[in-house]
């Protein structure tokens, strides 16, 4: 378990254009329809961000703009990482549902258990399994 805040120089970036609806306590909510209300439209949730350097509430971001630094802050974490999830009209949408969650060609796949899924990439064919480990084989940098 990661017990001290990390000093990662890596940057988590916006998956899409939007406005920051919430920022604090290791969490950033990027609201995509531009009204700043995370209860309506699509929202991307980022978790385990370092407390310093997070995007600010009301800040407008373009896809690829910095959201914050990955860390192990904000709850149980085995190491520096960022959790990403999504909501639509205030409801959480599971990562592996009828509505696919695809990020730069990487598609989420469920194993049926929280935190134990995978990311797949079609061409070239790649698969990364979730685990409580850190290796070159399970890191994605964009």
């Amino acid at each position: 378990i990661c017990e001290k805040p990390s000093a990662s120089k890596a940057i988590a970036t916006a998956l899409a254009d939007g406005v920051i609806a919430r920022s604090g306590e290791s969490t950033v909510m990027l609201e995509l329809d531009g009204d700043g209300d995370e209860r309506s439209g699509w929202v991307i949730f980022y978790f385990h961000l370092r407390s310093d350097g997070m995007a600010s509430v009301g800040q407008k971001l373009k896809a690829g703009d910095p959201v914050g630094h990955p860390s192990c802050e904000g709850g149980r974490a085995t190491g520096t990482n960022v959790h990403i999830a999504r909501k639509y009209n205030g409801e959480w949408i599971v990562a592996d549902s009828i509505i696919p969650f695809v990020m730069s060609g990487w598609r989420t796949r469920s194993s049926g258990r929280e935190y134990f899924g995978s990311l797949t990439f079609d061409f070239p064919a790649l698969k990364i399994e979730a685990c409580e480990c850190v290796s070159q084989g399970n890191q994605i940098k964009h």
Side-chain angles (χ1 to χ4, degrees), residues 15 44 82-86 93-112 116-122 126-130 140:
L15 296 176
I44 304 295
V82 176
H83 289 195
I84 299 172
R86 62 191 175 161
I93 306 296
V94 294
D96 190 7
S97 73
I98 194 166
I99 305 167
F101 196 4
V102 180
M103 300 168 283
S104 296
W106 291 93
R107 183 180 180 131
T108 58
R109 304 283 184 191
S110 174
S111 70
F116 291 93
S118 64
L119 291 172
T120 59
F121 195 87
D122 290 335
L126 301 170
K127 183 175 185 178
I128 297 175
E129 296 281 344
I140 298 174

Side-chain angles (χ1 to χ4, degrees), residues 14-19 30-33 61-63:
L15 296 176
D17 296 354
V19 62
L30 178 64
E31 194 276 321
L32 305 186
D33 69 10
L61 301 181
K62 296 285 186 190

Side-chain angles (χ1 to χ4, degrees), residues 44-61:
I44 304 295
F45 164 81
Y46 300 82
F47 186 59
H48 288 306
L49 295 176
R50 203 169 68 206
S51 55
D52 62 318
M54 287 190 296
S56 303
V57 171
Q59 186 176 349
K60 293 181 181 180
L61 301 181

Side-chain angles (χ1 to χ4, degrees), residues 72-95:
C72 58
E73 295 179 27
R76 184 179 181 276
T78 56
T80 300
N81 74 106
V82 176
H83 289 195
I84 299 172
R86 62 191 175 161
K87 295 190 328 181
Y88 183 71
N89 288 340
E91 298 291 329
W92 294 102
I93 306 296
V94 294

